Amino acid sequence: MSETVTGPTETPAAGTTASGATIRLENLTKSYPGNPAPAVDNVTMDIKAGETVILVGPSGCGKSTTLKMINRLIEPTSGRIRINDEDVTDMDPVKLRRKIGYAIQSSGLFPHMTVAENIALVPKMTGWSKSGVKDRVEEMLDLVGLDPREFHGRYPRQLSGGQQQRVGVARALAADPPVLLMDEPFGAVDPITRDHLQDELIRLQHELHKTIVFVTHDFDEAIKLGDRIAVLRERSHIAQFDTPEAILTNPTDDFVSGFVGAGAALKRLNLTRVRDVGIADFPTVTVEDPLQLIFDKLRDGSHNELLMLDRRNRPYKWLRRGDLMRAKGSLARAGQLVHDTVTRDATLHDALEAVLTDSGGRVAVTGRRGEFIGVVDMQTLMNSVHELLEADRLTAMEHQHDLEHLRGHQTEQELEGGGSGL
Amino acid sequence: MNFWEYVSTRHQQLLTDAFQHVSAVFQCMVLATVLGVVIAVLSYRSSWGGSLAITSTAMILTIPSLAAIGLLIPLVGLGVPPTVIILTLYGLLPVVRNAIVGLRGVDPSLVDAAKGIGMSRTARLCKVELPLAWPPILTGIRVSTQMLMGIAAIAAYASGPGLGNEIFRGLASLGSANAINQVLAGTLGIVVLALLFDAAYVLLGRLTIPRGIRV
Ligand SMILES: Nc1ncnc2c1ncn2[C@@H]1O[C@H](COP(=O)(O)OP(=O)(O)OP(=O)(O)O)[C@@H](O)[C@H]1O
Ligand SMILES: [Mg+2]
């Protein structure tokens, strides 16, 4: 920092990004005038640097209010907010907000400004150089998957809902803030687009390692995106704050399990990838192998079934012994075409779906270029799900144990020291 | 002498009057716009402040303009000062009302977003709220201008500038040869100028309303 002479307004070089900051909410409370019951009541929460935390809970439980207190769009009635251990509760809110990206449901793009102008707003305000701002706009559009040349000069109303959301996220990230607050950013788009946007966010976060606080009332979204999920009940009371796995397998009470909804075990399948379970070998032949070899392989009795690969090693046909009997010397019409394959990054949920729709009860796993890697079958899936659930249960129990231990410790301390630590 | 003969013999005088009429209205309109927007900006966020601004500017309009100008003469004298004061005050209401409605009509989630990304109060107002409220404000200015074109004729009563002089001269000498022609020339002149002004506003709208919010 000190060697560069560009001054305090220097533009970070492309490629370097500020990664996340820690956020600590201490006894945060918000009462609205005219309402004796606070909307947010005494929330304490620790968020690690680079972590994605999801606030989820029923409508009106105070998620937005909690989120907006972090960038002081809503001033807390009492309590403190610390970002990277710095108390920002009394800091100039305008300065504070420039270090915190903010993206909202309706995208919040200014309709009278072009996409580029919208994205450029914050960098300009924080005094970036003109060329720095220009490069940054291109970089941000690239980052959220929009072609800069095409979208640069468009107005928000000339974009689809999903594209608007992307620009909204690009604007929030433009000045490279360590913290990103998102209030139901994908709430207003159709399910397929939402799915895409969620995938994009996961990819982005993989690159950027921001600290993200994300509000939603969709628990599936929470599971998909969150490193940790805070399930809130009314007045923002934290019912459970833990990893998605722990919440799915070990909800603390009926409120949480009600929120998790039916099919927690099924939802668990979304958290594990095919690469994490055993991918089994499968006997293969290729379309170029001589017919005789294929016959021999099937006839020698060790396999009932073969997978035939095409010239580029991609799964092509399942061949059973019976098929060959009927084929009478030609393979053109024998066997069953491979309908569905999964990649190693597919979730177990996708894999199960594919296995269930396949009459043979297995699915081929392929690599990046579609080449055959192995198969996953029903039995493997069942076993790994059982193992996962069991493991989750164990960690959850350990966790519970730790918590109780900690609580016991705290009570002890309080009894001894009378809270003199403050 | 018929009307067209009258116009062609007196065109020099008529053009001067017309120019002064337009100039007076234009300058007072600029003043009314600045004042009106300032009043709106100061009052739109409080509900009673806004009502107060709208009611008081509306009250001004209920005073008959001839009476108002008559009352002003002993205070500020004849000529330009009473004209400017009257026109500016009368021009306020549509601007103030439309500016308040426009500023209040800005989508709250946009204001929230503007705050959220760290825009200061001034930046929010200048870069987001006023540009978004500009179309209704411009409509207010347009309505105001139409109204002032007529009211400006009254200024001649206080020896002010403009086409009102033609009308008053004609009215004072009713029965004489050119009386009707004078009144007609003044009145038609005002109507034509008002139409020209309106055309200018359409053009101004195209030039100043950002493409993203143009309907
Ligand atoms: N400006 C306000 N004045 C008074 N009460 C408010 C205000 N804003 C929110 N509230 C109340 O505070 C509570 C929490 O609101 P908040 O917007 O944080 O809920 P939420 O969890 O974000 O809900 P949703 O999922 O519907 O967005 C609600 O009961 C709401 O009525
Ligand atoms: Mg909300």
Side-chain angles (χ1 to χ4, degrees), chain A residues 288-305:
Chain A
E288 276 152 347
D289 286 337
L291 206 53
Q292 196 52 48
L293 182 100
I294 299 174
F295 271 107
D296 290 346
K297 266 200 173 177
L298 275 176
R299 231 182 264 134
D300 72 11
S302 49
H303 323 289
N304 278 325
E305 199 171 22

Side-chain angles (χ1 to χ4, degrees), chain B residues 17-69:
Chain B
D17 280 344
F19 174 76
Q20 285 181 344
H21 200 98
V22 168
S23 155
V25 168
F26 176 75
Q27 291 178 44
C28 294
M29 210 46 244
V30 170
L31 247 151
T33 303
V34 171
L35 263 177
V37 170
V38 168
I39 292 174
V41 162
L42 292 177
S43 64
Y44 78 101
R45 282 195 298 169
S46 98
S47 71
W48 66 264
S51 322
L52 182 72
I54 291 176
T55 319
S56 46
T57 46
M59 278 244 288
I60 297 173
L61 273 190
T62 62
I63 306 171
S65 43
L66 199 60
I69 211 165

Side-chain angles (χ1 to χ4, degrees), chain A residues 182-200:
Chain A
M182 309 180 90
D183 195 346
E184 302 196 32
F186 311 143
V189 294
D190 64 274
I192 295 175
T193 312
R194 186 181 317 150
D195 221 48
H196 274 297
L197 290 172
Q198 289 165 347
D199 290 340
E200 293 271 295

Side-chain angles (χ1 to χ4, degrees), chain A residues 90-402:
Chain A
D90 300 310
M91 181 181 171
D92 172 15
V94 171
K95 279 209 190 97
L96 171 68
R97 290 174 198 144
R98 288 184 187 171
K99 292 196 199 130
I100 300 179
Y102 184 56
I104 55 176
Q105 172 162 24
S106 53
S107 90
L109 295 181
F110 302 129
H112 60 297
M113 297 181 190
T114 63
V115 164
E117 286 166 343
N118 266 289
I119 298 175
L121 268 172
V122 193
K124 263 192 194 158
M125 285 189 300
T126 43
W128 289 33
S129 70
K130 232 185 183 146
S131 63
V133 172
K134 201 164 157 270
D135 293 345
R136 186 66 175 171
V137 169
E138 314 271 293
E139 193 189 335
M140 283 296 112
L141 281 172
D142 254 340
L143 185 73
V144 297
L146 294 174
D147 179 3
R149 272 170 312 171
E150 191 182 344
F151 290 95
H152 189 99
R154 289 221 203 161
Y155 284 94
R157 67 166 179 192
Q158 299 166 320
L159 304 177
S160 73
Q163 290 164 345
Q164 288 183 16
Q165 272 323 324
R166 283 164 200 256
V167 178
V169 172
R171 183 177 70 180
L173 288 171
D176 198 26
V179 174
L180 181 58
L181 306 180
M182 309 180 90
D183 195 346
E184 302 196 32
F186 311 143
V189 294
D190 64 274
I192 295 175
T193 312
R194 186 181 317 150
D195 221 48
H196 274 297
L197 290 172
Q198 289 165 347
D199 290 340
E200 293 271 295
L201 184 66
I202 292 173
R203 180 182 60 77
L204 277 182
Q205 175 65 344
H206 226 76
E207 289 175 29
L208 303 178
H209 307 289
K210 303 288 180 191
T211 304
I212 301 180
V213 186
F214 187 109
V215 165
T216 179
H217 51 241
D218 176 357
F219 193 72
D220 292 322
E221 184 167 71
I223 295 180
K224 184 164 172 189
L225 298 177
D227 293 322
R228 283 196 296 163
I229 301 175
V231 184
L232 305 179
R233 54 173 112 233
E234 67 284 9
R235 277 178 245 143
S236 236
H237 285 160
I238 299 176
Q240 189 168 5
F241 184 25
D242 214 328
T243 61
E245 288 86 349
I247 290 180
L248 282 175
T249 46
N250 201 358
T252 44
D253 57 19
D254 288 348
F255 177 81
V256 178
S257 41
F259 214 84
V260 170
L266 278 178
K267 285 176 186 166
R268 183 65 182 79
L269 292 176
N270 274 327
L271 287 171
T272 312
R273 312 264 151 192
V274 169
R275 65 165 76 251
D276 304 327
V277 304
I279 299 174
D281 266 343
F282 202 80
T284 59
V285 291
T286 75
V287 280
E288 276 152 347
D289 286 337
L291 206 53
Q292 196 52 48
L293 182 100
I294 299 174
F295 271 107
D296 290 346
K297 266 200 173 177
L298 275 176
R299 231 182 264 134
D300 72 11
S302 49
H303 323 289
N304 278 325
E305 199 171 22
L306 294 175
L307 177 62
M308 179 179 259
L309 307 178
D310 68 6
R311 281 188 186 82
R312 288 156 70 184
N313 258 349
R314 295 175 305 191
Y316 172 52
K317 261 181 189 179
W318 301 104
L319 291 174
R320 293 212 185 95
R321 200 179 286 177
D323 294 336
L324 286 189
M325 300 303 151
R326 265 172 269 129
K328 299 195 181 98
S330 154
L331 282 177
R333 261 181 309 231
Q336 251 191 338
L337 289 178
V338 173
H339 281 301
D340 212 355
T341 61
V342 292
T343 65
R344 276 187 290 196
D345 284 324
T347 61
L348 288 198
H349 187 272
D350 296 336
L352 185 64
E353 176 89 32
V355 167
L356 287 176
T357 47
D358 184 290
S359 59
R362 67 237 164 319
V363 64
V365 182
T366 56
R368 269 211 315 209
R369 276 173 297 279
E371 77 278 11
F372 176 74
I373 293 175
V375 297
V376 167
D377 63 20
M378 197 66 176
Q379 198 54 46
T380 320
L381 283 178
M382 297 268 283
N383 290 343
S384 43
V385 170
H386 277 304
E387 274 166 30
L388 282 171
L389 291 178
E390 199 50 45
D392 284 349
R393 223 163 269 139
L394 283 175
T395 17
M397 265 160 65
E398 245 168 56
H399 196 74
Q400 197 81 14
H401 188 252
D402 285 350

